[in-house]
Amino acid sequence: MRTLFLFLIAALSAAALSAAPEPIWPAGQMPGKATSAPETLKNEHIFNVSVPTLERFPAPNPEGRPLPTVLVAPGGGYGCLAYTKEGVEIARWLNTLGINAAVLKYRIPGDRDAALADARRAVALLREPAEGWHVDPAHLGMIGFSAGAHLTARVLSEPKHGLAFALLIYPAYLSKDGSNLAPEVVPATPTVPTFLAQCKDDRAYVLSSLAYAGHLLRANRPVSYHLYTSGGHGFGKRRQPPTEAAQWPTEAAVWLKTFLK
C-alpha cells in the first residue's frame, strides 16, 4: 500500500512538473538570432519560437533513483514544431517505459544553427539537478522526428555531445543520394547505439535513413534499422495497423529495454 501511495505521489508530481516549460537560456545569454514574429499555435503546430524552452516529463519514480532520460525533438521542417504529436505524446510514451523525457521547443523558423545551440543547451540542462528530476547520466539519449531527427544527428556529429544513445524517426535532410551523408550530420567517433525507423513510401526522405544506417553499418557500429513498406511521413505514434509503420514504438520499446537494462 505504501509503495502504491508513493507511486501515485510521484505520478502527480511528474504531471505538475510537466505543466511548466522552462526557458533554457538565462536572460541576455542566448546566442544567435530569434524571430521577432509572435509565437502562435495552429492545428497542434507551434510557429515562430523566439524563446526556446524545455518541458520536463519525469517518469514515476517513488524511490528517487536515477533513471534513463531522453530529450525529445519534434519535427516540422524547421518552419514549425509538431509539439503535441512528436513531443508531448512521445514524452508520455517514454514515461510508460520508466524513462524520463523532456520536450525541446527550439527556435524556428529557419535558423538551424540556433536550433542546434538550443539542443546543445538542453542536453547540458538535463544533467543538472532539478526538483523531482533524477537522471542516470550514463543513459541520456535523444529522439528526433523528421527535422528533429536531423537536429539530433547534428548533435551526434559533435565529439562531446554527451549522449549515450539516439532514435531517429523518419529523419529528413541527412542525405540527398542515399550514399553520402550531409557533412553536418556525419556522426562523431565513437558513435552511439542508434535506432532508425522510416517508410519506403516516405519518398522525399527515405534516402536519409538509408544513408545514415549504411554509414553506421560500414563502420560496424551498433544500429537497429527498421524500414517499413508503408506509413508515409510525420505520423508520430498515431499510425494504426494495418500500416506497417505502426510497429515502430513497440520495436523501439524492445530496443530501449534491451539497451537500458
Side-chain angles (χ1 to χ4, degrees):
M1 182 64 73
R2 183 175 181 274
T3 300
L4 176 61
F5 175 76
L6 290 173
F7 183 89
L8 291 173
I9 291 296
L12 290 171
S13 298
L17 286 171
S18 68
E22 61 196 73
I24 65 173
W25 295 104
Q29 295 185 30
M30 184 172 72
K33 301 177 181 178
T35 181
S36 60
E39 184 173 313
T40 59
L41 176 66
K42 183 178 180 182
N43 297 328
E44 297 187 343
H45 289 70
I46 296 175
F47 296 81
N48 302 320
V49 174
S50 59
V51 180
T53 63
L54 197 64
E55 185 173 5
R56 299 176 191 252
F57 293 78
N61 185 15
E63 297 176 354
R65 59 189 176 86
L67 294 179
T69 300
V70 172
L71 177 65
V72 184
Y78 289 107
C80 64
L81 297 178
Y83 193 84
T84 298
K85 180 174 61 177
E86 297 174 353
V88 173
E89 292 178 7
I90 301 305
R92 289 176 175 159
W93 163 69
L94 287 165
N95 285 169
T96 68
L97 305 177
I99 298 172
N100 291 330
V103 182
L104 174 63
K105 185 171 73 171
Y106 52 89
R107 277 174 283 176
I108 50 167
D111 191 337
R112 298 186 182 189
D113 288 338
L116 178 60
D118 295 341
R120 285 196 209 106
R121 172 70 176 169
V123 171
L125 281 177
L126 291 181
R127 294 180 177 276
E128 296 181 0
E131 184 179 355
W133 191 249
H134 304 278
V135 176
D136 177 357
H139 291 111
L140 177 61
M142 187 168 177
I143 182 172
F145 297 78
S146 192
H150 176 264
L151 179 59
T152 302
R154 289 197 71 187
V155 173
L156 292 171
S157 74
E158 301 186 329
K160 296 183 179 180
H161 52 67
L163 298 174
F165 62 95
L167 300 90
L168 308 182
I169 312 301
Y170 43 82
Y173 317 132
L174 304 186
S175 174
K176 292 183 178 180
D177 59 10
S179 299
N180 301 305
L181 288 178
E184 77 273 12
V185 299
V186 175
T189 302
T191 57
V192 301
T194 305
F195 180 97
L196 286 131
Q198 201 150 37
C199 301
K200 291 180 182 178
D201 61 355
D202 185 3
R203 300 194 182 280
Y205 302 121
V206 67
L207 296 181
S208 283
S209 63
L210 285 168
Y212 205 88
H215 180 93
L216 295 177
L217 288 168
R218 284 191 294 272
N220 197 29
R221 303 307 299 169
V223 57
S224 180
Y225 183 41
H226 302 262
L227 183 61
Y228 304 114
T229 301
S230 61
H233 188 84
F235 44 82
K237 282 183 73 271
R238 297 181 182 181
R239 264 303 175 255
Q240 299 297 321
T243 304
E244 233 184 273
Q247 302 173 34
W248 86 259
T250 300
E251 293 174 338
V254 171
W255 181 80
L256 283 165
K257 288 179 179 179
T258 301
F259 173 70
L260 297 175
K261 68 179 181 180

